Amino acid sequence: MSKFRIVHYINQFYAGIGGEDKADVQPEKRDGIVGPGMAFRGALADVAEIVGTVFCGDNYMNDHSEEACATVLEMIRSYQPDLVLVGPAFNAGRYGMACGMVAKMVDENLHIPVVGGIYEENPGADMYRRYAYFVPTTNAASGMRKAVPEMAAMVKKVLAGEEIRDGYLKKGLRQNYFAEERGSKRAVDMLLKKINGEEFVTEYPMPVFDRVEPQPAIKDITKARIALVSSGGPVPKGNPDHIESSSASKFGKYCLKDIDDFTPENGQTAHGGYDPVYANQDLDRVLPLDVVKEMVRDGEIGSLHDYWYATVGNGTAVASAKKFAAAIAEQLLADHVDGVILTST
Amino acid sequence: MRLEIGSIFIRDVQFADATAVKDGVLYVDRAALAAAAAGEDERIKSVEVFLARPGESVRILPVKDVVEPRVKVAGPGGIFPGFTSNVEQVGSGRTHVLKGAAVVTTGKIVGFQEGIIDMQGPGAEYTPFSKTYNVVVKVEPIDSLKQHEHEVVVRLAGLRAAKYLGEAGRDVEPDEVRVYETKPLLEQVAEYPNLPKVAYVYMLQTQGLLHNTYYYGVDVKQIVPTFMYPTEAMDGAIVSGNCVSACDKNPTYVHLNSPVIEDLYAQHGKTINFIGCVVTNENVTLMDKERSSNMAAKLIGFLGADAVIISEEGFGNPDADLVMNCNKIEKQGIKTVLITDEYAGQDGASQSLADSTPLGNACVTAGNANEVVTLPPMEQVYGYPEVANVIAGGWDGSLAADGSITAEIQVITGATNELGFHKLTARGI
């Protein structure tokens, strides 16, 4: 029996082209193995062969995604693979996104399976997990030795057509199947377990809307210290921290002491998920700085915290958002802030 | 209430000169059945009757309701109180069932939400009614009948047809007799004092035109939640108002064979004490939802239940009723298991319910109704195949030139039944 054909997608770093300075290189393909594919060779030897490697600079892939993906797809297609391997990307954000984009393109256009490796909190995992069997990895490349055999095992299972129930980041898809017992019988069985305090497994974990119980009201707002926080992307003109327009990997902290009113010259939005024109004309529309300063002057609010915090909610993984929120809250507490005006878009 | 259900197993159905059941064969006098279905209703232009057996290359659409032929042979009242019988309390005595036979009503479409039954092929897997010997009753109303009245006409015709066929089982010795009994509350509690007391919150869809359900002939959106002995359902106390998304609107057949009731009775006296049902509705306004969930929860608390099963009917808006019922019952310290289905999108990637509660931690799902299937052409179609393009779950172009239908399983009668009548379910991958 001939071996299954695999194409491996990696970035410019793993292809040996270079690091951040080479992140703009355009897609290329090479026959056979390049870089980490070598580690897979032994593990897959009896069933599959990496017939080609496609690589691209992470910046190029993210900044020219449409064109880059189309080129990468054609390069992958040219090898007529049975499966595509991507990464492992660990916690490299742009590499993770690139692996995810490739997985999506392959899944939707070539209809062949994709196996990858990624750290669970990599934004690429959240956005693209449904398109591949992404084996969870550590957050750093030092986990390569562990990732390779796990990814290779997943490749073998997928190629063998085995039913795969675990060992990958759940795709977040609901799939129908016929159960052994009818629904009413399953309900009665589940009820008996629940009554008896035995372990039971719900068939549909209810979606969790992260509802936050409101804090008790501030008793005297004229003495309270208020801060401004936003996921609408309000940043100083020029976006000094380069907060991403989508899938933000960070938040910014900016001084507002010298600003009484936003103008087209001193503020803008970094958010790529809505029409930025009106925010860029007057950022007070997203972060109500002018009004709050007036209220402070008039004694209606005790004081305004000297800094505002901003990130971009657009396409940002919940895990990232939670991480930002915890860090921001910690700083606000340390600075004795009593209340926050939190704006979104 | 104590009810004996005598099942006469039906293994074939055939046309004959006289309607009768003999050696497991249901013989149907075609003209007499058509006349019985039409009754005296002047709003009916014509009734035609066809037969559809399991495995045959037959498709029925648009399906309005499925009804099981039953007859009361002892005890008060008759089948379908408030419709084909007076409104005496049913649920005690003895009832005979033509088990394996079903009346399936079809005819010109009333609304957008009617169903498909395939007797073979992949579609047959999704509907429980590919395994029944179906007597298809095609009812055509007079011209210019408005939708509301049209629905009434076909609903009543189906009930009359089922009652007519059920009479054929009156004097037949059943193949099997099962006894179901729930006693008045204090007696029932005393009978199994050491077993957990379990009740059933039976949610009925009541969202208006073509989304209704009836209890003793009353439109359920006009009731406040009430107590029902489980056996009442077996005599037709609950009747479907036809014509809602076919996959998860409960046909009358399923109310007659209400699966949660059957499976709770299977444990009655062994692991649980099944003390009864609370029938409630799913109205569209918030005030109605608040009132009904308050009343349902109050009744459950009043009954002293330790645990309940709550079944939903329909999707979307009723998800709010399901969540309210769950919250208000759990908050009394009463354990719940919910039965629902899912609308997770054709790709299965979306959130499945429109409302959510962390207290709903024990949930049975009847599957994702948005899954797309292709139903191959059948040699015989009873009804109107072109409605595949307009019924809920289909789209313009669902019906191909060769007669095959590509649509969401939403179009298939009973595919994701939330009383738990069928085996389809879903899991996260």
Side-chain angles (χ1 to χ4, degrees):
Chain A
M1 198 184 97
S2 64
K3 288 183 184 178
F4 287 107
R5 298 168 65 83
I6 293 178
V7 172
H8 191 192
Y9 176 83
I10 54 177
N11 70 359
Q12 86 287 347
F13 174 75
Y14 286 101
I17 303 298
E20 192 69 15
D21 55 320
K22 298 288 183 189
D24 287 320
V25 302
Q26 296 191 21
E28 279 185 50
K29 67 174 183 176
R30 304 263 169 85
D31 292 346
I33 286 170
V34 177
M38 196 62 76
F40 286 98
R41 184 158 67 177
L44 294 172
D46 46 337
V47 288
E49 184 183 359
I50 294 176
V51 292
T53 303
V54 176
F55 62 87
C56 181
D58 284 333
N59 284 352
Y60 192 82
M61 194 70 180
N62 280 274
D63 297 343
H64 307 85
S65 55
E66 201 171 317
E67 178 209 331
C69 276
T71 308
V72 166
L73 182 69
E74 284 320 304
M75 288 175 170
I76 291 172
R77 195 199 301 268
S78 71
Y79 288 108
Q80 296 178 295
D82 300 299
L83 180 146
V84 173
L85 188 62
V86 297
F90 305 105
N91 198 26
R94 286 164 304 152
Y95 188 20
M97 293 293 283
C99 287
M101 285 188 267
V102 171
K104 180 171 189 270
M105 290 292 283
V106 169
D107 181 64
E108 291 182 344
N109 296 285
L110 304 184
H111 309 295
I112 57 171
V114 181
V115 172
I118 201 163
Y119 180 58
E120 186 162 12
E121 289 182 22
N122 188 316
D126 221 32
M127 279 191 76
Y128 295 106
R129 61 203 301 164
R130 58 178 286 199
Y131 301 105
Y133 292 99
F134 277 113
V135 173
T137 68
T138 56
N139 62 356
S142 55
M144 182 70 85
R145 191 172 295 211
K146 183 167 173 289
V148 167
E150 289 179 4
M151 288 170 68
M154 182 60 70
V155 166
K156 286 182 178 178
K157 274 195 211 172
V158 170
L159 288 174
E162 283 178 35
E163 190 180 337
I164 295 158
R165 308 286 305 141
D166 46 29
Y168 67 102
L169 299 176
K170 292 285 180 183
K171 296 181 175 188
L173 300 178
R174 299 294 292 171
Q175 185 186 60
N176 282 346
Y177 71 102
F178 287 96
E180 293 286 312
E181 302 276 7
R182 65 181 186 175
S184 53
K185 174 71 163 52
R186 303 198 309 274
V188 172
D189 290 346
M190 197 183 290
L191 190 71
L192 288 173
K193 286 184 177 168
K194 195 168 175 180
I195 289 170
N196 294 328
E198 294 165 23
E199 199 177 318
F200 59 87
V201 181
T202 185
E203 295 180 357
Y204 177 62
M206 287 246 173
V208 178
F209 307 130
D210 232 356
R211 290 187 177 122
V212 180
E213 290 291 325
Q215 292 292 307
I218 291 172
K219 287 208 179 72
D220 185 358
I221 192 75
T222 63
K223 297 202 168 53
R225 187 175 175 79
I226 299 301
L228 299 175
V229 180
S230 178
S231 62
V235 291
K237 183 77 174 178
N239 188 11
D241 292 325
H242 305 287
I243 296 178
E244 297 86 346
S245 62
S246 175
S247 193
S249 64
K250 62 190 113 176
F251 62 88
K253 176 185 179 184
Y254 307 105
C255 183
L256 50 70
K257 267 190 285 192
D258 300 331
I259 308 173
D260 286 334
D261 186 19
F262 281 119
T263 66
E265 284 70 44
N266 65 4
Q268 68 167 84
T269 180
H271 199 290
Y274 63 95
D275 182 341
V277 171
Y278 305 101
N280 290 344
Q281 276 175 359
D282 183 354
L283 198 60
D284 295 299
R285 289 168 170 151
V286 178
L287 198 78
L289 179 69
D290 53 351
V291 177
V292 173
K293 285 221 164 175
E294 264 178 47
M295 294 175 82
V296 172
R297 270 198 301 272
D298 297 346
E300 293 174 73
I301 288 176
S303 65
L304 180 61
H305 183 46
D306 285 342
Y307 298 88
W308 89 86
Y309 292 86
T311 189
V312 165
N314 184 35
T316 297
V318 171
S320 305
K322 277 187 173 168
K323 205 166 64 187
F324 305 160
I328 292 169
E330 208 169 287
Q331 296 188 22
L332 293 174
L333 283 170
D335 286 330
H336 308 291
V337 170
D338 301 306
V340 172
I341 295 173
L342 187 60
T343 64
S344 65
T345 48
Chain B
M1 273 190 186
R2 181 181 187 278
L3 181 67
E4 292 176 14
I5 293 287
S7 293
I8 301 155
F9 297 133
I10 301 298
R11 288 177 288 269
D12 194 15
V13 59
Q14 294 177 19
F15 285 126
D17 292 336
T19 298
V21 174
K22 223 160 114 184
D23 300 327
V25 179
L26 171 60
Y27 296 96
V28 177
D29 178 338
R30 199 171 187 173
L33 173 60
E40 309 281 299
D41 198 334
E42 292 174 347
R43 298 167 295 184
I44 290 177
K45 187 159 71 181
S46 67
V47 176
E48 289 176 274
V49 178
F50 309 96
L51 303 177
R53 301 176 186 85
E56 289 181 344
S57 183
V58 171
R59 168 167 299 148
I60 312 164
L61 90 158
V63 172
K64 298 161 194 308
D65 198 7
V66 184
V67 192
E68 189 172 49
R70 293 192 170 206
V71 60
K72 273 211 84 63
V73 296
I79 291 296
F80 308 125
F83 289 110
T84 59
S85 304
N86 62 26
V87 290
E88 277 187 74
Q89 283 290 312
V90 292
S92 62
R94 179 163 166 141
T95 299
H96 283 183
V97 182
L98 304 191
K99 184 59 59 191
V103 168
V104 176
T105 45
T106 184
K108 200 179 90 176
I109 191 164
V110 178
F112 291 142
Q113 292 125 339
E114 305 182 27
I116 297 175
I117 293 174
D118 278 2
M119 300 307 288
Q120 65 159 234
E125 296 296 311
Y126 286 97
T127 177
F129 306 108
S130 59
K131 285 106 194 158
T132 44
Y133 290 88
N134 294 330
V135 178
V136 181
V137 177
K138 186 179 171 201
V139 181
E140 299 302 353
I142 55 170
D143 298 338
S144 78
L145 203 60
K146 294 271 190 283
Q147 274 179 308
H148 273 110
E149 221 176 335
H150 184 181
E151 187 277 319
V152 174
V153 164
V154 291
R155 168 160 35 97
L156 295 179
L159 299 178
R160 284 192 295 263
K163 189 183 186 191
Y164 168 83
L165 291 177
E167 282 292 338
R170 181 178 287 279
D171 298 320
V172 178
E173 192 58 38
D175 298 292
E176 175 196 277
V177 177
R178 287 192 185 179
V179 180
Y180 302 93
E181 183 173 24
T182 291
K183 294 175 177 164
L185 185 63
L186 298 184
E187 283 176 51
Q188 188 55 61
V189 169
E191 184 173 19
Y192 306 118
N194 299 318
L195 293 179
K197 299 179 288 297
V198 173
Y200 176 27
V201 179
Y202 201 143
M203 294 173 58
L204 300 174
Q205 196 164 24
T206 54
Q207 294 171 283
L209 175 63
L210 308 172
H211 294 61
N212 287 332
T213 308
Y214 297 84
Y215 182 60
Y216 284 85
V218 180
D219 182 341
V220 175
K221 71 171 149 318
Q222 296 171 355
I223 70 166
V224 289
T226 188
F227 177 82
M228 179 181 78
Y229 280 104
T231 50
E232 293 176 60
M234 300 176 185
D235 279 344
I238 302 173
V239 163
S240 170
N242 285 327
C243 306
V244 175
S245 278
C247 64
D248 60 12
K249 181 69 165 74
N250 301 318
T252 299
Y253 185 102
V254 180
H255 290 303
L256 289 164
N257 291 280
S258 205
V260 170
I261 290 177
E262 281 188 12
D263 289 333
L264 285 175
Y265 266 133
Q267 294 297 322
H268 186 43
K270 296 176 190 160
T271 57
I272 60 165
N273 190 354
F274 184 20
I275 57 174
C277 308
V278 169
V279 173
T280 185
N281 51 21
E282 300 171 352
N283 289 6
V284 290
T285 69
L286 183 59
M287 186 185 274
D288 280 338
K289 288 178 190 300
E290 291 284 7
R291 183 192 305 111
S292 291
S293 55
N294 288 342
M295 295 272 181
K298 176 188 71 181
L299 267 173
I300 289 297
F302 174 74
L303 293 173
D306 299 305
V308 297
I309 289 176
I310 307 174
S311 63
E312 186 184 1
E313 183 172 17
F315 62 96
N317 182 289
D319 294 347
D321 300 272
L322 180 73
V323 163
M324 285 184 190
N325 285 326
C326 172
N327 282 341
K328 292 174 184 179
I329 292 170
E330 282 276 347
K331 281 176 182 168
Q332 297 178 71
I334 298 165
K335 296 182 168 70
T336 64
V337 167
L338 316 179
I339 311 179
T340 183
D341 65 350
E342 303 183 42
Y343 285 74
Q346 293 185 353
D347 59 6
S350 299
Q351 182 187 303
S352 298
L353 294 181
D355 201 358
S356 178
T357 169
L359 297 178
N361 65 354
C363 190
V364 165
T365 171
N368 176 19
N370 297 128
E371 182 189 354
V372 174
V373 284
T374 295
L375 309 174
M378 296 282 147
E379 286 167 21
Q380 181 71 55
V381 178
Y382 295 128
Y384 300 91
E386 65 277 11
V387 306
N389 291 333
V390 299
I391 56 179
W395 53 80
D396 191 21
S398 274
L399 179 65
D402 67 351
S404 64
I405 293 171
T406 301
E408 295 183 2
I409 61 169
Q410 233 188 114
V411 301
I412 299 174
T413 301
T416 61
N417 182 276
E418 293 162 283
L419 297 190
F421 195 58
H422 205 34
K423 293 183 174 175
L424 191 69
T425 184
R427 62 184 158 213
I429 60 163

